[in-house]
Amino acid sequence: MNEIDAPFGAAVARLCASCRWPLPTDSPILPLGAAVSEVGSLAIWLDRESEDEEDLEAERDAAVALAAGEYPPRAGDSGDDDEEEDDEAGRGEEWERYDRARNFRSRRHEHWRRLYSYLARSNEAVAEYPFLTPWADGLQSHLATVLDEERRAFAALVQPIRLLEAAAVRALPTPKFSDDPGFAGLGAEAENAFRRAWYEWSRRAIWSWRRLEDHDLSVYTVVSDAFGRRRKGKPEAHAAFRRFTADWIRQAREEAGRPVSTPWQLVAVKAPALPRTHHSEPERDPLTLWEAAVIATYQVAFNRKAGTTALLVPHLVAEQLLACASDDMPVQRLAPDGSALPAEVLLDQWDHAGLTLS
C-alpha cells in the first residue's frame, strides 16, 4: 500500500460517488460520510450567476409596491364608465405587479432560510468531527457572505414599522364585548363571534409581516361563518366589525408609538434550521413570518460558527421575541447591565447552550 498526503477538500472531490458496498448500520463510516456530505454540499450555493440590471430593477419595484401594502390600493368610484374601464385594465396590471412583489419576497425569505439551514448543519458536522474544520472554514466563510447578501435582499422587502405594530398588538389587552346595534342579526351568537374575531385577527397580526389592515379577511370570515346562510343583518354586522377592527388597529399604533424608558434593546437569538424532509415533503419552517422578518431586519452581528445573531430591536419587538423563546429558539437580552462591549463580542460570549428556559 502507498500512503499519499492530500488536502481534505481535494480528497473529497476525488471520492467515487457511484460505488456502493454493504456496511453495518453501526459503522462509523456512515455518520462520517454524512458529515462530509453536509460540508461538501455548501459548494452548491457558492457559484451563482450575478443578477442582471433588469432583475434588480424588478426587485426595487417590488420593494416600492410592498411599502404601500400587500395588494393594490382600492380604486375610488369616479362615476365615469370610460374611466372605470381604463381603471379595470390598469387594476389588472397592478394586481400582477403586487403578485410579483409578494413572490419576490417569498423567494428571498425561503432562500435565506435554506442557506442558513445548510450553514447550521455544516456547523453540527464540524462540531462532531473537528478535523473537518480546515476544509470547512473556507466554504462556510464564503457561504456566510452569500447568506448576508440574501438576508439584506429579503429585509429590503419588509417594512420594520409593520413588525413593530405586530408586536404592539400582542401588548393590547383583550377587548371587552360591548353590544352594538350592528350585532342584532347575530342574536345570542354576537359575543362569541366578537371573541373569535379578536382571536383570529390578533393571532394573524402578531405573527405576520403584513399591514394590520391586511388581516381583515379573518374577521370577515368569522362573521360570515356565524351567519351561515342567513342574510338578514349580515351587512350591518360586517360594518360593525369593521369599526371594531379599525379601533384595534388604532390602539396598536398608539401602543407602538408610546415612549418607553428603553426604546431599543440588544437581543441574541439562535434561529432553528429547517427540519430535514424527504424529497416529496414540503419544508415546514419553525419560524413564523414575523420572527424571520425580525431576525433579517434587525441583525447587527452574526456568529457563523455558532449560528447566533445579535439584534438591535425596539422594546416591543424585544418583549415579543423573549416571550416566544424556546429550547428550539433561545433568546436572551445581551448586556442587560449596560456593557459597552461591541455586539460581536457580546454575541461570542453568549452561552445559549447553557441557557435554561422557564
Side-chain angles (χ1 to χ4, degrees), residues 281-293:
E281 295 178 345
E283 289 179 333
R284 300 185 184 279
D285 196 336
L287 285 185
T288 65
L289 299 181
W290 182 87
E291 290 167 335

Side-chain angles (χ1 to χ4, degrees), residues 28-45:
I29 295 178
L30 294 177
L32 172 60
V36 170
S37 178
E38 291 290 6
V39 176
S41 64
L42 300 185
I44 299 173
W45 304 101

Side-chain angles (χ1 to χ4, degrees), residues 234-254:
K234 192 173 182 179
E236 292 80 4
H238 279 303
F241 274 95
R242 280 196 296 271
R243 291 193 295 271
F244 277 107
T245 305
D247 190 52
W248 299 339
I249 292 172
R250 177 190 59 78
Q251 292 179 47
R253 288 184 173 146
E254 287 179 356

Side-chain angles (χ1 to χ4, degrees), residues 18-217:
S18 61
C19 296
R20 296 290 184 272
W21 63 91
L23 288 172
T25 56
D26 61 347
S27 170
I29 295 178
L30 294 177
L32 172 60
V36 170
S37 178
E38 291 290 6
V39 176
S41 64
L42 300 185
I44 299 173
W45 304 101
L46 302 182
D47 296 327
R48 304 184 309 161
E49 294 183 3
S50 58
E51 295 175 301
D52 58 33
E53 184 57 34
E54 185 176 348
D55 291 334
L56 294 174
E57 181 58 34
E59 196 147 353
R60 284 191 288 266
D61 180 70
V64 172
L66 293 172
E70 297 291 305
Y71 308 99
R74 290 187 175 92
D77 296 326
S78 64
D80 187 306
D81 292 342
D82 292 336
E83 287 186 8
E84 287 182 7
E85 289 182 5
D86 292 339
D87 286 344
E88 284 302 313
R91 292 279 289 173
E93 294 177 0
E94 275 293 278
W95 278 100
E96 290 179 4
R97 179 193 181 204
Y98 277 78
D99 283 343
R100 286 195 303 271
R102 292 194 302 274
N103 287 336
F104 266 120
R105 183 180 57 197
S106 294
R107 287 198 298 270
R108 287 294 191 184
H109 165 231
E110 292 166 3
H111 193 211
W112 169 65
R113 287 289 292 140
R114 195 169 294 120
L115 292 180
Y116 172 83
S117 299
Y118 277 105
L119 180 62
R121 291 169 190 163
S122 72
N123 281 331
E124 293 173 0
V126 172
E128 188 70 21
Y129 299 97
F131 62 83
L132 298 178
T133 301
W135 170 53
D137 194 58
L139 291 171
Q140 289 179 326
S141 179
H142 192 174
L143 183 69
T145 300
V146 176
L147 176 66
D148 194 59
E149 292 172 358
E150 203 66 27
R151 176 191 67 82
R152 292 174 184 274
F154 166 46
L157 299 170
V158 176
Q159 300 300 309
I161 186 60
R162 294 178 192 159
L163 306 177
L164 176 60
E165 290 173 353
V169 171
R170 183 182 174 276
L172 295 181
T174 302
K176 294 182 179 179
F177 173 75
S178 58
D179 206 357
D180 186 285
F183 294 164
L186 288 168
E189 287 296 310
E191 185 170 357
N192 286 336
F194 179 85
R195 296 189 185 283
R196 285 199 304 273
W198 163 255
Y199 171 77
E200 293 295 338
W201 181 85
S202 61
R203 181 173 63 89
R204 284 170 170 77
I206 286 171
W207 299 115
S208 175
W209 55 38
R210 298 184 173 192
R211 291 187 317 160
L212 299 181
E213 287 85 353
D214 291 323
H215 303 290
D216 55 359
L217 179 60

